[in-house]
Amino acid sequence: MTIEKSAAAAHPGTITGRAWRRFAVATGLTFGLGAAWLVWRMPLQVSDSLLLMLDSLSAQSGWVFGWQHSDSGAFFRPLYLAQVKWLMDLSPADHTLSFKVLHVGLLLATAWLFV
Protein backbone atom coordinates (compact mmCIF):
# COMPACT_ATOMS: atom_id res chain seq x y z
CA MET A 1 0.00 0.00 0.00
CA THR A 2 1.42 3.38 -0.95
CA ILE A 3 1.72 6.30 1.41
CA GLU A 4 -1.04 8.19 -0.40
CA LYS A 5 -3.46 5.28 -0.14
CA SER A 6 -2.62 4.59 3.50
CA ALA A 7 -3.11 8.27 4.40
CA ALA A 8 -6.46 8.31 2.59
CA ALA A 9 -7.49 5.10 4.37
CA ALA A 10 -6.50 6.52 7.74
CA HIS A 11 -8.39 9.76 7.12
CA PRO A 12 -11.44 9.05 4.95
CA GLY A 13 -12.42 12.72 4.53
CA THR A 14 -9.08 13.89 3.09
CA ILE A 15 -8.41 14.77 -0.52
CA THR A 16 -5.61 12.84 -2.21
CA GLY A 17 -2.85 14.26 -4.41
CA ARG A 18 -4.50 12.89 -7.54
CA ALA A 19 -7.68 14.81 -6.77
CA TRP A 20 -5.67 18.01 -6.31
CA ARG A 21 -3.95 17.44 -9.65
CA ARG A 22 -7.30 16.97 -11.38
CA PHE A 23 -8.63 20.11 -9.73
CA ALA A 24 -5.55 22.09 -10.83
CA VAL A 25 -5.85 20.85 -14.42
CA ALA A 26 -9.59 21.61 -14.54
CA THR A 27 -9.02 25.09 -13.11
CA GLY A 28 -6.15 25.76 -15.52
CA LEU A 29 -8.23 24.60 -18.48
CA THR A 30 -11.17 26.74 -17.41
CA PHE A 31 -9.12 29.91 -17.02
CA GLY A 32 -6.89 29.19 -20.01
CA LEU A 33 -9.75 28.50 -22.41
CA GLY A 34 -11.73 31.46 -21.07
CA ALA A 35 -8.83 33.83 -21.56
CA ALA A 36 -8.08 32.30 -24.98
CA TRP A 37 -11.68 32.93 -26.04
CA LEU A 38 -11.36 36.57 -24.95
CA VAL A 39 -8.10 36.98 -26.88
CA TRP A 40 -9.66 35.36 -29.95
CA ARG A 41 -12.59 37.79 -29.87
CA MET A 42 -10.40 40.87 -29.32
CA PRO A 43 -9.83 42.93 -32.48
CA LEU A 44 -6.29 43.27 -33.80
CA GLN A 45 -5.03 46.77 -33.01
CA VAL A 46 -3.91 48.00 -36.37
CA SER A 47 -2.38 51.22 -35.06
CA ASP A 48 0.19 49.31 -32.99
CA SER A 49 1.11 46.67 -35.53
CA LEU A 50 0.55 47.98 -39.03
CA LEU A 51 3.84 49.87 -39.45
CA LEU A 52 5.88 46.92 -38.22
CA MET A 53 3.94 44.54 -40.45
CA LEU A 54 4.52 46.71 -43.50
CA ASP A 55 8.21 47.23 -42.66
CA SER A 56 8.71 43.49 -42.29
CA LEU A 57 7.62 42.80 -45.87
CA SER A 58 10.81 44.32 -47.30
CA ALA A 59 13.21 42.57 -44.90
CA GLN A 60 15.21 39.54 -46.01
CA SER A 61 14.65 37.42 -42.88
CA GLY A 62 13.24 37.61 -39.38
CA TRP A 63 16.67 37.86 -37.76
CA VAL A 64 17.74 40.67 -40.06
CA PHE A 65 14.49 42.55 -39.43
CA GLY A 66 14.86 42.14 -35.67
CA TRP A 67 18.40 43.47 -35.58
CA GLN A 68 17.70 46.32 -38.03
CA HIS A 69 15.42 47.89 -35.43
CA SER A 70 17.63 47.12 -32.42
CA ASP A 71 18.78 50.72 -32.11
CA SER A 72 15.28 52.25 -32.09
CA GLY A 73 15.71 53.39 -28.47
CA ALA A 74 12.11 52.90 -27.45
CA PHE A 75 12.44 49.21 -26.58
CA PHE A 76 14.78 46.36 -27.41
CA ARG A 77 12.75 43.36 -28.57
CA PRO A 78 14.42 41.82 -31.62
CA LEU A 79 12.61 38.48 -31.18
CA TYR A 80 9.25 40.27 -31.25
CA LEU A 81 10.17 41.88 -34.54
CA ALA A 82 11.43 38.56 -35.90
CA GLN A 83 8.12 36.98 -34.83
CA VAL A 84 6.21 39.62 -36.81
CA LYS A 85 8.32 38.89 -39.88
CA TRP A 86 7.90 35.11 -39.56
CA LEU A 87 4.13 35.41 -39.16
CA MET A 88 3.89 37.72 -42.15
CA ASP A 89 5.87 35.23 -44.25
CA LEU A 90 3.93 32.17 -43.07
CA SER A 91 0.49 33.59 -43.77
CA PRO A 92 0.39 35.69 -46.92
CA ALA A 93 -3.42 35.52 -47.10
CA ASP A 94 -4.83 36.21 -43.62
CA HIS A 95 -2.46 37.90 -41.19
CA THR A 96 -5.08 38.42 -38.49
CA LEU A 97 -5.73 34.69 -38.20
CA SER A 98 -2.06 33.84 -37.83
CA PHE A 99 -1.51 36.46 -35.12
CA LYS A 100 -4.57 35.29 -33.20
CA VAL A 101 -3.57 31.63 -33.45
CA LEU A 102 -0.11 32.47 -32.14
CA HIS A 103 -1.40 34.51 -29.20
CA VAL A 104 -4.04 31.95 -28.23
CA GLY A 105 -1.39 29.23 -28.39
CA LEU A 106 0.98 31.26 -26.22
CA LEU A 107 -1.78 31.92 -23.71
CA LEU A 108 -2.72 28.23 -23.48
CA ALA A 109 0.96 27.30 -23.11
CA THR A 110 1.27 29.81 -20.25
CA ALA A 111 -1.79 28.33 -18.52
CA TRP A 112 -0.38 24.82 -18.97
CA LEU A 113 3.00 25.83 -17.54
CA PHE A 114 1.27 27.49 -14.60
CA VAL A 115 -0.62 24.29 -13.78
Side-chain angles (χ1 to χ4, degrees):
M1 190 181 262
T2 64
I3 295 172
E4 187 176 297
K5 288 183 181 178
S6 63
H11 304 287
T14 61
I15 300 174
T16 62
R18 179 176 283 170
W20 280 113
R21 276 188 227 110
R22 287 181 181 167
F23 175 73
V25 168
T27 304
L29 275 173
T30 302
F31 284 113
L33 291 175
W37 181 78
L38 291 173
V39 167
W40 189 264
R41 302 275 302 165
M42 185 178 14
L44 184 68
Q45 295 180 355
V46 177
S47 61
D48 294 339
S49 305
L50 184 62
L51 291 177
L52 286 175
M53 291 166 77
L54 292 176
D55 283 347
S56 73
L57 293 175
S58 63
Q60 295 173 354
S61 71
W63 296 112
V64 171
F65 182 64
W67 288 105
Q68 280 176 348
H69 295 283
S70 64
D71 61 347
S72 66
F75 54 85
F76 181 66
R77 295 192 283 181
L79 292 178
Y80 167 70
L81 298 170
Q83 170 191 339
V84 169
K85 172 65 177 164
W86 292 329
L87 285 174
M88 292 294 287
D89 289 344
L90 286 175
S91 62
D94 190 6
H95 304 300
T96 304
L97 179 65
S98 65
F99 278 89
K100 286 190 183 251
V101 166
L102 174 77
H103 287 101
V104 165
L106 289 173
L107 197 139
L108 290 175
T110 302
W112 177 73
L113 288 172
F114 180 74
V115 169

